[in-house]
Amino acid sequence: MAFVDQAKANFILSTLKNIEYGTVIITVHDGAITQIDKTEKTRFTSKNSSDKNKK
């Protein structure tokens, strides 16, 4: 198992704590984290979809 420095680990944990819907992708090359991508989704409830659920 490769060593993960504390700054990278803290960044990953902070990202996970602050995302409600979405993905976090950690890219590793030669056993080292080289990139972290976050895609966050915002969800809206529509009036029509809540009416369909009531039927």
Side-chain angles (χ1 to χ4, degrees), residues 1-2 5 7 10 13 15-16 20 29-30 34-35 42-43 45-46 48-49 52 55:
M1 184 166 125
D5 69 49
N10 288 340
L13 290 174
T15 301
L16 291 171
E20 189 170 352
H29 287 279
D30 294 327
T34 58
Q35 182 172 321
T42 303
R43 304 217 175 175
T45 57
S46 69
N48 293 337
S49 67
K52 289 178 185 177
K55 292 182 181 180

Side-chain angles (χ1 to χ4, degrees), residues 23-42:
T23 59
V24 176
I25 300 172
I26 302 165
T27 304
V28 177
H29 287 279
D30 294 327
I33 295 172
T34 58
Q35 182 172 321
I36 300 168
D37 296 303
K38 176 180 88 166
T39 303
E40 190 161 3
K41 299 178 184 245
T42 303

